[in-house]
């Protein structure tokens, strides 16, 4: 009598008591990026092993289901896996091991070392999804965070626990600015998620932008573009979980996710693979549910204990500021720092475009005189940029507009103030003092 695979699986399911999960089944087929299995009952995110011929074992994660069919996405190439392969559930809930042993380490999405050193021997184990905080239990953002970058300190002042988007196209100095922020920001721990970027950039960022001193207080989670989307998404969750772990110990954490756009791309690949309908620019609805949930994991801790200040890089495809990921990032975050290609082309670094940048907590954490000076510089910078073509063409006559006259006369000082070398850190108080030198506060 031949093997009736579907009949045997259905019979196994009927034998299982209601509510009791079936932890093993058989592989039906592979369609695109997904494996389809029958006979297992496991929630989204469950960790499975697919056992093929000749001892081949492929790890996979449950990403969806339809009736009695479970969809899995493998962590690696599925070579050697054939229909009928055994699928076993090894963990119903995705977890990660955490501890101070992670400091100074470079790990992948599963917590395995990438730096050639032994596996970190961490004692604590937590769910990858973290614990949701009651918004009324969160502490307020009421302390200035010194990031060591003069233009951000003085004009776009950040607070501890703020979530900020670093929005930029390609090749405008994003990685250099991130390196400055990781080196000079005054926090206890830095957690960096390098997600979906080119593999060579991981080593470059660690050696050139972060450096040995920066790495010592950091944890780097790397999931480059060549790894499957489930691992890229897992790396984003793991980065947030590590940051939450140190925050809940009362530490101030800087979380950098480079990039939020690649996280969205990973979720798009998963969503489309399991049959989600594409919506705006091909993104399925799950993308627009995922990003706010990730962002809300950062912030000030319960009752003001510890903080996660998060910086999410957002890529503008073709410098399009109306991109749907850019839109949802601006709507969900507490501010954004826009980088300008025109400034980068003019060798003005960091290429921060003040006309598109804002800190939504600045007015609550800085004195009125400092806010006045910052707003005045923003206004003069904006007025000059709006009339730049007129000025360069020689069509503007001095005296026609007093505010524009002042912007022209102070342009050199403002540009000098906004420029900063990548190996130079400027603390918060020095940044404010230099701002008040460029633009003295009007006491009248």
């Amino acid at each position: 009598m031949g093997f009736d695979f579907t009949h045997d699986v259905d019979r196994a399911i009927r034998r299982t008591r209601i509510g009791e999960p079936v932890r093993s089944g058989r592989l039906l087929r592979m369609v695109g990026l997904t494996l389809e299995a029958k006979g297992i009952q496991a929630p989204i995110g469950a960790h499975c092993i697919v056992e093929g011929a000749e001892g081949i074992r492929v790890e996979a994660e449950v990403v969806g289901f339809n009736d009695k069919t479970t969809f899995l996405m493998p962590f690696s190439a599925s070579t050697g896996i054939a229909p009928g392969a055994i699928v076993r559930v090894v963990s119903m809930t995705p977890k990660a091991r955490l501890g101070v042993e992670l400091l100074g380490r470079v790990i992948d999405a599963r917590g395995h070392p990438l730096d050639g050193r032994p596996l970190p021997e961490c004692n604590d184990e937590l769910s990858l999804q973290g614990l949701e905080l009651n918004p009324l239990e969160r502490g307020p953002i009421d302390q200035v965070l010194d990031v060591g970058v003069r233009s951000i300190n003085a004009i776009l002042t950040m607070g501890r626990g703020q979530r900020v988007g670093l929005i930029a196209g390609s090749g405008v100095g994003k990685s250099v600015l991130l390196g400055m922020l990781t080196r000079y920001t005054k926090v206890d721990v830095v957690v960096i998620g390098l997600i979906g970027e080119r593999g060579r950039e991981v080593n470059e960022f660690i050696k050139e932008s972060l450096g040995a001193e920066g790495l010592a207080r950091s944890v780097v989670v790397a999931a480059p573009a060549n790894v499957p989307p489930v691992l890229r998404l897992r790396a984003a969750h793991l980065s947030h979980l590590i940051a939450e772990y140190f925050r809940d110990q009362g530490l101030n954490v800087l979380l950098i996710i480079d990039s939020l756009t690649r996280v969205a791309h990973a979720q798009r690949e998963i969503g489309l693979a399991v049959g989600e309908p594409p919506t705006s620019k091909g993104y399925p609805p799950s993308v627009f549910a995922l990003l706010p949930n990730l962002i809300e994991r950062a912030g000030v801790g319960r009752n003001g204990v510890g903080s996660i200040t998060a910086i999410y890089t957002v890529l503008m495809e073709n410098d399009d500021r109306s991109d749907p990921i850019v839109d949802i990032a601006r709507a969900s975050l507490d501010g954004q720092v826009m980088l300008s290609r025109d400034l980068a082309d003019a060798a003005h670094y960091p290429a921060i475009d003040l006309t598109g940048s804002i800190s939504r907590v600045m007015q609550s954490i800085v004195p009125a005189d400092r806010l006045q000076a910052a707003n005045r510089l923003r206004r003069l910078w904006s007025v000059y940029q709006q009339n730049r073509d007129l000025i360069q063409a020689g069509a503007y006559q001095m005296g026609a507009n007093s505010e524009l006259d002042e912007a022209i006369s102070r342009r050199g000082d403002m540009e000098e103030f906004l420029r900063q070398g990548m190996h130079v850190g400027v603390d918060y108080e020095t940044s404010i003092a230099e701002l008040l030198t460029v633009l003295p506060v009007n006491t009248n």
Side-chain angles (χ1 to χ4, degrees), residues 257-436:
I257 299 294
D258 184 21
S259 69
L260 194 66
T261 304
R262 304 301 188 201
V263 175
H265 289 177
Q267 181 60 43
R268 178 172 63 182
E269 291 178 48
I270 295 171
L272 295 178
V274 298
E276 270 196 272
T279 55
S280 177
K281 221 172 184 181
Y283 291 102
S286 60
V287 171
F288 302 103
L290 168 71
L291 298 186
N293 285 336
L294 271 181
I295 291 169
E296 283 302 313
R297 294 178 66 172
V300 180
R302 183 178 282 111
N303 300 321
V305 176
S307 67
I308 301 174
T309 304
I311 298 176
Y312 299 92
T313 66
V314 184
L315 303 178
M316 289 190 297
E317 296 182 9
N318 301 318
D319 293 338
D320 180 11
R321 296 191 179 190
S322 63
D323 181 273
I325 303 304
V326 174
D327 279 343
I328 194 171
R330 284 190 298 209
S332 304
L333 294 167
D334 303 319
Q336 68 265 354
V337 177
M338 304 285 293
L339 299 187
S340 165
R341 187 170 302 280
D342 289 341
L343 291 175
D345 290 343
H348 179 119
Y349 293 107
I352 296 175
D353 182 3
L354 296 182
T355 59
S357 304
I358 188 172
S359 171
R360 294 192 176 97
V361 305
M362 181 177 177
Q363 61 184 6
S364 303
I365 59 176
V366 302
D369 59 336
R370 297 183 178 183
L371 183 63
Q372 177 187 345
N375 287 341
R376 187 173 169 219
L377 188 145
R378 286 172 61 94
R379 175 62 184 167
L380 293 177
W381 181 265
S382 178
V383 166
Y384 183 89
Q385 296 301 319
Q386 292 168 3
N387 294 274
R388 183 176 56 182
D389 293 341
L390 191 68
I391 297 168
Q392 291 177 347
Y396 176 73
Q397 297 294 322
M398 293 292 288
N401 184 307
S402 59
E403 191 173 47
L404 184 53
D405 290 346
E406 183 180 8
I408 294 172
S409 65
R410 295 187 182 274
R411 174 174 172 264
D413 291 337
M414 290 191 296
E415 284 192 341
E416 184 64 25
F417 173 80
L418 295 173
R419 286 196 180 107
Q420 184 174 331
M422 64 180 292
H423 297 295
V424 178
V426 182
D427 63 38
Y428 174 73
E429 293 300 334
T430 302
S431 301
I432 296 300
E434 293 180 0
L435 170 64
L436 297 179

Side-chain angles (χ1 to χ4, degrees), residues 43-62:
I44 301 295
H47 184 195
C48 301
I49 296 290
V50 182
E51 299 177 356
E54 299 180 356
I56 294 175
R57 293 162 60 91
V58 174
E59 295 182 76
E61 183 175 302
V62 175

Side-chain angles (χ1 to χ4, degrees), residues 108-110 128 193-195 221-223 229-241 257 263:
D108 66 11
R110 289 177 282 178
L128 208 58
L194 299 176
I195 299 165
V221 182
V230 283
L231 289 182
R232 281 178 264 146
L233 193 56
R234 187 184 180 95
H237 287 294
L238 179 58
S239 300
H240 283 78
L241 180 63
I257 299 294
V263 175

Side-chain angles (χ1 to χ4, degrees), residues 185-215:
T185 301
K186 293 184 178 179
V187 290
D188 302 309
V189 174
V190 180
V191 179
I192 306 165
L194 299 176
I195 299 165
E197 301 298 320
R198 290 180 288 271
R200 66 169 180 81
E201 292 182 337
V202 175
N203 199 34
E204 287 179 3
F205 183 85
I206 293 170
K207 290 186 176 180
E208 299 176 12
S209 298
L210 191 57
E213 185 177 346
L215 181 60

